[in-house]
Amino acid sequence: MDFYPLFGALLLVSFRSASAAARPHVVFILADDLGWNDVGFHGSEIRTPNLDRLSAEGVRLENYYVQPLCTPSRSQLMTGRYQIHTGMQHQIIWPCQPHCVPLGEKLLPQLMKEAGYATHMVGKWHLGMYRKDCLPTRRGFDTYFGYLLGSEDYFTHVRCSAIAARNLTRCALDLRDGEEVAAGYEGVYSTEAFGQRATSIIEKHDSDKPLFLYVALQAVHEPLQVPERYLAPYSFIADRRRRLYAGMASAMDEAVGNITLALRRRGLWDDTVLVFSTDNGGQTLGGGSNWPLRGRKWSLWEGGIRGVGFVAGPLLKRPGTVCRELVHVSDWLPTLVGLAGGSANGTKPLDGFDVWSAIRSRHRAAVTFGRAGRLRLQRVRPRRHSVLQLEAADGLPGSVPRRLKPLPLWTRTCSDVPSNAVSFFQCRL
């Protein structure tokens, strides 16, 4: 028996296993219109045992912000850039609107694929579909199953749209498998269909390759529809809309539980980072609740933009904690790409920051403010009075150590680079 070929094969297997372990599996679950007071761990009457358990075992993001609407939030998640920089700031993308995330933008799944990941998407896209180049499978995902728009019927998967100029309404099936219409799912509740497809992807995944799975659930967006069995625990809720909404949230919670169970059974959980997020605040006109926050979806009050979110998985250094650092939906692209060992080279200038150190170990992350002067403000030691160091270019001082009193929250009010380092330290961080 020739020793060298055998040794080479063993070395290759060992290298592939070590390489996969160094790059964790990433599962990102996005809820639709989930309000601050719609999860058990925020004191809601809605029962979400799986979300409660995962968040309790992980890191809850209690100072986490999103956009007040669906398309802007999703575009920031996928690009790491504010919607004002991508032209996605004008409400949502409507059914007949010839618009999508600009094709010149490099999206998160493309970067994850470049880092060696298998990339899959299940659920609601809503980032444009007027031409094939806008579709998820043309923007970095290996596979796709879900809705291209939003507000579909949960059982028939049909989306209707009024055309005022012609005084008529047109309806169409909006469920896709890849780029083809997915017939044969009528009567299957979308939350269950998406959960089942996600678990199927996990069960079939080659564990030697890192997985990026993006599950964008339809729940708990209107229309308010749910199988009767999920309503039984909520007979005490008098308001019909709230009762239906509660059942939908429970169905969503069950789907999340099934996804995590599939990861455990497949042996992937120990190397998985799971992120759960809402896309915007709850729609109080459709059963949601953001109590005690003011406002709702579509508003710029806290109820519209402060999001439910957490990170879970065995790779966290301090599980069972609460992160009160400022985290924004635009931060996920640089954070996840960095976690994957990838590079954001090739993207347009990012607005988001890599916040993994703040999430994983509760240390404040290094943050770059501005572009013209290439200034980097870095927290050197996570102590009560931390030393902040300024790395500069373009003729500014190389480092300016300075002791500052800690502030309760970081805000991005210093987005423009000042002309001198002294005025920079007068900004609220």
Side-chain angles (χ1 to χ4, degrees), residues 167-181:
N167 194 28
L168 57 82
T169 297
R170 287 182 174 169
C171 300
L173 178 63
D174 184 28
L175 186 62
R176 300 291 189 277
D177 195 341
E179 297 182 5
E180 302 300 323
V181 174

Side-chain angles (χ1 to χ4, degrees), residues 147-198:
Y147 298 139
L148 294 176
L149 293 166
S151 301
E152 294 80 2
D153 185 287
Y154 277 76
F155 294 97
T156 66
H157 317 298
V158 168
R159 172 67 155 94
C160 294
S161 178
I163 304 176
R166 297 189 178 184
N167 194 28
L168 57 82
T169 297
R170 287 182 174 169
C171 300
L173 178 63
D174 184 28
L175 186 62
R176 300 291 189 277
D177 195 341
E179 297 182 5
E180 302 300 323
V181 174
Y185 288 89
E186 184 171 356
V188 181
Y189 190 59
S190 71
T191 303
E192 295 175 343
F194 293 157
Q196 290 165 7
R197 177 58 66 94

Side-chain angles (χ1 to χ4, degrees), residues 360-374:
R360 185 176 186 235
S361 56
R362 297 180 67 187
H363 293 174
R364 293 187 187 271
V367 177
T368 300
F369 289 90
R371 307 192 188 287
R374 304 302 298 169

Side-chain angles (χ1 to χ4, degrees), residues 390-405:
L390 183 66
E391 299 173 2
D394 300 341
L396 291 176
S399 64
V400 185
R402 183 78 177 267
R403 290 191 178 274
L404 299 178
K405 291 183 178 180

Side-chain angles (χ1 to χ4, degrees), residues 34 38-40 44-52 189 191-192 217 219-220 225-237 242-258 276:
L34 186 67
D38 295 335
V39 289
S44 175
E45 78 277 28
I46 297 176
R47 300 168 188 174
T48 54
N50 292 297
L51 297 179
D52 297 349
Y189 190 59
T191 303
E192 295 175 343
L217 296 168
V220 284
Q225 299 172 319
V226 67
E228 193 66 29
R229 64 183 179 278
Y230 294 106
L231 291 177
Y234 299 110
S235 58
F236 65 92
I237 299 179
R242 183 63 174 170
R243 187 166 63 253
L244 287 167
Y245 184 98
M248 295 166 69
S250 286
M252 176 194 67
D253 179 80
E254 182 181 285
V256 173
N258 290 337
F276 180 87

